[in-house]
Amino acid sequence: MKRVLVATAGGDCPGLNAVIRAIVKRASQEQDWEVIGSIQAFNGILWEPTEIKILDEAAVAGIHFQGGTIIETTNKGGPFAWPIKNNDGTWTTADRSEEMIRKLMYMGVDAVINIGGDGSQRISQALYEKGLNIIGVPKTIDNDLSATDTTFGFQTAVQIATESVDKLVTTAASHNRVLILEVMGRDAGWIGLNAAIAGGAEICLIPEIPYDINEVVAKINSRFVRDRGFIIVVMAEGAHAVGDDSSTINLDEVGYVNSKISGGASRLMRELKAAGLKHDMRKTVLGHIQRGGVPIAYDRVLATQFGVKAFELALEGKFGEMVSYRHPNIISVPFSEAIREPHFVTLDSDLMKSARGVGISFGD
Ligand code: F6P
């Protein structure tokens, strides 16, 4: 019997379960393969006792439309930076990668499928270089991986953000207000840009285009005659003014590798007030609502294609590769290519031209 181990790593994302189900269903068509899941990314392997879940057809029945991941996830720590508490209460990290690879061999694992974003695929690459038979599946609601046309979960997040814009329009119009919607997007503004176009917002602020607060004020004022009017501003959480950085907070969570982006919309409200804006303002921070719940059909289809392809790579023994969508094909690319550069909103793209063409201001 051959064993493939599946891990879901990094922030959760609608469609993870559809990937897991597809891997299991495709594997069940082969005589001699079984699938197991490591709980909470690779923590399940590194914990004592080990925590894994047998992923047979019964375990994955009907999970394609469930949000989250049935094998849990984490965006902290990992085999190369395992958090360890010192005697004085401070924390340090240890490299446990070789111990983990030995343990996987002992468990009879022939192949590993790591479903995760850029940070997780960096871990995949490093494990591959150490000799692990590993395959990656790209996952991010931010859509910030360049080696694939898109990732599952992203369109679901855009849908949720767009529905939120639709809801904010009626209350903004009723109260003659400025309504700011903060959506996810640490470094890339894809969710914000798409939701602004789909929702008909007048202003879209993204990390790729630092805004001039006076331009934002001018656009807002242009939508009011005396005190009557309303406007919707969609901002990515990482958006910031010219000369500034994204708004962050310090987390005292052990093993958190990224600085936590937070407070962008509140800061924007303060900046608008300081720049002389007089209209009533409110903000909505959408947060993790964008990551939860049922994946839309598009994401279920893409996730299923990714899962089937990932298992087939394992079958072929094609390791060190990440599954990728290059319309209309599902292909694979080496990890080194997959993690080379992030996928930012390209400023001269047709999508940006369309957004500007319908009058959306980016505050520049
Ligand atoms: O990278 C995906 C993402 O959803 C970002 O958009 C966001 O900044 C971050 O994860 C939130 O992470 P956490 O779940 O740790 O709050």
Side-chain angles (χ1 to χ4, degrees), residues 195-242:
I197 296 172
E202 291 77 19
I203 297 178
C204 177
L205 305 177
I206 57 176
E208 292 89 339
I209 308 178
Y211 55 84
D212 174 340
I213 196 67
N214 296 317
E215 292 293 333
V216 181
V217 169
K219 178 72 179 183
I220 292 174
N221 283 335
S222 75
R223 292 272 305 170
F224 286 80
V225 177
R226 288 179 296 277
D227 284 338
R228 307 282 296 280
F230 74 95
I231 188 164
I232 304 292
V233 180
V234 175
M235 76 176 295
E237 59 186 347
H240 54 84
V242 177

Side-chain angles (χ1 to χ4, degrees), residues 27-215:
S28 72
Q29 293 173 18
E30 302 298 319
Q31 292 303 316
D32 49 354
W33 279 86
E34 72 172 9
V35 186
I36 57 174
S38 172
I39 300 299
Q40 272 186 35
F42 292 118
N43 288 356
I45 305 301
L46 290 164
W47 285 330
E48 286 299 342
T50 305
E51 262 200 62
I52 58 158
K53 186 178 173 80
I54 303 294
L55 296 172
D56 55 15
E57 286 201 84
V60 300
I63 65 168
H64 52 289
F65 59 85
Q66 275 175 30
T69 158
I70 60 165
I71 50 175
E72 303 175 29
T73 187
T74 178
N75 53 7
K76 299 174 195 166
F80 291 94
W82 185 262
I84 293 181
K85 198 168 193 176
N86 299 317
N87 290 337
D88 63 359
T90 58
W91 289 84
T92 183
T93 58
D95 181 352
R96 296 185 61 194
S97 55
E98 279 173 20
E99 175 195 343
M100 187 179 93
I101 292 171
R102 276 197 306 275
K103 203 164 172 188
L104 288 169
M105 281 171 66
Y106 174 74
M107 289 166 63
V109 170
D110 299 281
V112 173
I113 297 176
N114 190 18
I115 312 169
D118 57 345
S120 310
Q121 300 313 340
R122 271 173 223 288
I123 291 174
S124 300
Q125 162 79 353
L127 290 169
Y128 176 65
E129 283 168 5
K130 282 181 174 265
L132 188 69
N133 289 342
I134 185 165
I135 289 152
V137 174
K139 171 252 36 154
T140 151
I141 63 160
D142 290 0
N143 198 35
D144 56 0
L145 283 167
S146 60
T148 180
D149 284 357
T150 190
T151 50
F152 63 87
F154 166 64
Q155 289 296 348
T156 300
V158 169
Q159 186 67 30
I160 293 168
T162 302
E163 284 164 12
S164 305
V165 175
D166 295 346
K167 291 184 169 105
L168 292 176
V169 165
T170 52
T171 174
S174 305
H175 283 270
N176 294 278
R177 277 175 171 159
V178 179
L179 268 178
I180 301 166
L181 177 67
E182 182 186 306
V183 299
M184 279 189 171
R186 204 172 42 212
D187 306 307
W190 293 108
I191 297 175
L193 173 59
N194 282 272
I197 296 172
E202 291 77 19
I203 297 178
C204 177
L205 305 177
I206 57 176
E208 292 89 339
I209 308 178
Y211 55 84
D212 174 340
I213 196 67
N214 296 317
E215 292 293 333

Side-chain angles (χ1 to χ4, degrees), residues 74-77 91 184 186 237 247-263 288 291:
T74 178
N75 53 7
K76 299 174 195 166
W91 289 84
M184 279 189 171
R186 204 172 42 212
E237 59 186 347
S247 176
T248 55
I249 50 163
N250 287 331
L251 284 185
D252 57 1
E253 293 176 7
V254 177
Y256 202 99
V257 284
N258 299 314
S259 60
K260 173 83 182 135
I261 303 280
S262 181
H288 294 79
R291 294 220 310 240

